[in-house]
Structures are given as C-alpha cells and as structure tokens.
C-alpha cells in the first residue's frame, strides 16, 4: 500500500508584531491572552504570505514534479477567483497541476491537507504542495480582534518517501449557531460573545474527533509524543488536552498562540511546524483543527525521518519589529 508523507515544511510570519501591553496601555485592557501577535504590513495579505511560506517549503524540491496544489484561508482577497493560479505563477510550477481551494472555516487548513493526500492518487507526479495562509479580521472595537494574528505555513507531500507519515483521520461535525461567522459581503468576523457556549462547542467537537481517531487506530493519548490542538485563545487547547489525559510535555512544543495570536486556519498546522523542530524518529504526532459552526478534524502522523526545513521556526519567530497601537491601527487602515 502506498504511503504518503510530509517531507518538507515552510513558515512565514509577518515581521511586524504588537505586544499585549500596547492594547492595555491604549485601551486599558486586552481581551486576548497572547504575549504578542503578528501583524500584516501594509503590502502583505494572505496570498503574499502563502507565496513566502511555499518558497520556504519548496527549497531543495524539484518544482516540476509538483502535481497538486491545495490552498486554504478564511480571508482570500477575492471572493470568487481561482487563487491557486497565483501561486502556480509565482512559484514557477507546471500549469497542468491539480488544484483545490478551501475557505469559509478555520477547519479549511486540514481540509486542504486531506484534499492533497487524496489528489496525489490522481497525478503521476510524486509531490503535492499544501499552503495554508490566514489573517482573521474584525473591527478594532470588537474584543475578538485583540487576539487576531497572521501567518502562513506550507507542506510538501510525497508518495512513498520517508518523512512524517500520514496514518489516519477522524472527524466530528454538528450545528452550533452564532459562533465566529461572517455574512455575505462582510470582511469582519462576528460572534455572539458567549464564551461558555464557545468553549463547550470546542470541547465537544475536538474531543469527539481526537478520541475517535485514537480509538480508530487502537491508540491511547499517551502513545502520542506531541498533541497539537486548534488555538483560538490562550487557554482552551491546553485545558482540553489535559482533560483528555495529555501531559505538559505532550502539549508545550505545539503551543504557538502566545507568540502569534489566533492565526485562524493556520493554527494547529503552525503548531505542527513548530513541533517538527524537536520531534524524533518514531514519534507519533496528533493534530486537530476546529471550525466554528461547527466541526473538527483530527489527523495522526508518525515521524520516520526528519522533515526538511530551510529556516528554523524559532528563527522566524525571532525576526520581528514591535509597533505601537497607533501604528497598528494605521496598518489596518482603521485611522
């Protein structure tokens, strides 16, 4: 049976950052628990970030052998346009690649990864490129906005090559109205603002996907060296992981929210990129996405050989410049 693996990954984080203290100084409070977050520059969007992360992931890869490109974001610059084509042109890929575009949910990142795994069966080429880039948006007067960051990550998948081997997936879906949504024509995210309801939905859907996957594969949570859950805030993912029996050692390497804020569809996949810095051969890794509305997808991997990375994750985290809250509002064109 053909195996499919992640053999390379890349990350892009905007150079600009704002500290939590800037919100507190300007507004007297900050409703998000991050230490700092990433901020798009005036000439950046999810497509420019996607291109940079892809170039990082494709370093050392023969791009003529990429047969699949899938891309995901909740904030594409066009509501109707085949935006994978922009990546094909920017990266110099062959024009006859199979493409898929995923949006409308923070679960779209894992959807794009799963789509690429399936589409690999339909091409003679050995590689697929998965690109997830996101920058959630809301008004400066909305509490949700305080935690919204920006990031992109990209992965090269391969047929029958050693790397981070995909083992299986399990999903959970249901209906939960009023949590993190946008109506047609809107750019700003809305939410009914009932934290208890949001946490309950998150816990039920993510736990259902994670425990379902472990049961499907005949595993216990202790079998996983790293567990990375979707991080829309500072506490929910860690609290749920501990309720499911995970230790601090299993959780800590995949935590990225304190340094980037809420990166939407990137969240758990960005955590996966960080985990791969320290993972060793034989380590099992579980990641789980979450999309309000709601749904969750849990994916299991096992590391055979190190995944290629042209730039260390910690180096990307450390490359930054802090801005003031007034500068931040100018970057967002709010003033």
């Amino acid at each position: 049976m053909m195996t499919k693996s992640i053999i390379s990954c890349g990350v892009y984080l905007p150079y600009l950052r704002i500290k939590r203290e800037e919100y507190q100084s300007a507004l007297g409070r900050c409703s998000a628990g991050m230490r700092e977050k990433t901020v798009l520059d005036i000439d950046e969007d999810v497509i420019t970030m996607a291109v940079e992360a892809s170039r990082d992931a494709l370093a050392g890869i023969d791009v003529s052998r990429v047969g699949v490109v899938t891309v995901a974001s909740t904030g594409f610059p066009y509501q109707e346009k085949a935006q994978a084509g922009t990546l094909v042109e920017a990266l110099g890929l062959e024009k006859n690649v199979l493409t898929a575009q995923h949006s409308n949910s923070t679960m779209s990142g894992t959807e794009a990864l799963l789509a690429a795994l399936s589409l690999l069966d339909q091409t003679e080429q050995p590689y697929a490129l998965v690109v997830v880039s996101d920058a959630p948006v809301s008004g400066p007067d909305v509490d949700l906005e305080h935690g919204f960051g920006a990031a992109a990550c990209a992965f090269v998948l391969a047929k029958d090559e050693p790397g981070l081997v995909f083992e299986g997936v399990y999903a959970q879906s249901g209906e939960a109205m009023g949590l993190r949504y946008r109506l047609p024509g809107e750019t700003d995210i809305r939410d009914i603002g009932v934290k208890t309801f949001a946490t309950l939905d998150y816990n039920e859907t993510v736990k259902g996907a994670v425990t379902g996957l472990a049961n499907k594969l005949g595993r216990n949570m202790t079998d996983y060296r790293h567990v990375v859950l979707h991080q829309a805030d500072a506490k929910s993912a860690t609290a749920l992981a501990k309720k499911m029996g995970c230790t601090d050692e299993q959780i800590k390497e995949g935590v990225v929210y304190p340094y980037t804020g809420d990166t939407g569809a990137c969240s758990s996949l960005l955590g996966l990129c960080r985990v791969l810095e320290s993972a060793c051969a034989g380590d099992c890794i579980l990641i789980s996405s979450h999309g309000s509305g709601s749904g969750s997808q849990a994916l299991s991997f096992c590391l055979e050989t190190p995944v290629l990375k042209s730039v260390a994750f910690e180096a990307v985290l450390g490359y930054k410049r802090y801005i003031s809250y007034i500068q931040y509002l100018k970057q967002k064109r709010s003033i």
Side-chain angles (χ1 to χ4, degrees), residues 244-266:
M244 292 190 294
C246 298
T247 65
D248 288 333
E249 288 297 313
Q250 289 174 284
I251 302 165
K252 66 178 183 179
E253 295 298 332
V255 174
V256 292
Y257 180 89
Y259 317 105
T260 63
D262 177 1
T263 56
C266 278

Side-chain angles (χ1 to χ4, degrees), residues 59-81:
I61 302 291
D62 181 357
V63 296
S64 68
R65 303 182 72 195
V66 174
V68 174
V69 176
T70 63
V71 58
S73 179
T74 64
F76 285 119
Y78 294 90
Q79 289 192 336
E80 184 173 341
K81 182 181 184 293

Side-chain angles (χ1 to χ4, degrees), residues 16-80:
L16 301 181
R17 313 289 165 86
I18 184 170
K19 291 184 177 181
R20 187 171 190 266
E21 288 82 356
E22 283 293 330
Y23 277 90
Q24 294 172 321
S25 176
L27 305 177
R29 65 186 182 87
C30 180
S31 64
M34 79 290 175
R35 300 176 196 172
E36 60 187 60
K37 71 175 186 177
T38 47
V39 180
L40 286 177
D41 208 337
I42 201 75
D43 60 349
E44 292 180 314
D45 64 11
V46 297
I47 295 297
T48 64
M49 289 197 298
V51 171
E52 293 301 324
S54 298
R55 286 173 175 160
D56 189 10
L58 289 168
I61 302 291
D62 181 357
V63 296
S64 68
R65 303 182 72 195
V66 174
V68 174
V69 176
T70 63
V71 58
S73 179
T74 64
F76 285 119
Y78 294 90
Q79 289 192 336
E80 184 173 341

Side-chain angles (χ1 to χ4, degrees), residues 285-309:
I285 302 171
L286 185 149
I287 69 167
S288 181
S289 61
H290 177 259
S292 299
S294 63
S296 177
Q297 294 172 337
L299 289 73
S300 180
F301 300 90
C302 185
L303 187 64
E304 286 187 344
T305 60
V307 172
L308 297 174
K309 299 174 291 293

Side-chain angles (χ1 to χ4, degrees), residues 14 16-18 22-23 27 34 37-45 134-150 182 187-189 262 323-335:
L16 301 181
R17 313 289 165 86
I18 184 170
E22 283 293 330
Y23 277 90
L27 305 177
M34 79 290 175
K37 71 175 186 177
T38 47
V39 180
L40 286 177
D41 208 337
I42 201 75
D43 60 349
E44 292 180 314
D45 64 11
D134 218 356
V137 175
S138 200
D141 57 337
V142 178
D143 283 353
L144 268 179
E145 189 278 336
H146 295 187
F148 286 165
R182 282 184 298 150
T187 57
D188 291 357
I189 295 170
D262 177 1
I323 60 175
S324 69
Y325 186 68
I326 294 300
Q327 290 173 303
Y328 174 68
L329 292 180
K330 288 179 179 179
Q331 293 297 129
K332 290 174 61 65
R333 298 181 175 88
S334 296
I335 57 173

Side-chain angles (χ1 to χ4, degrees), residues 197-213:
F197 179 38
T199 302
L200 178 64
D201 173 67
Y202 175 87
N203 288 349
E204 287 184 349
T205 52
V206 174
K207 183 179 179 181
V210 169
T211 56
L213 178 61

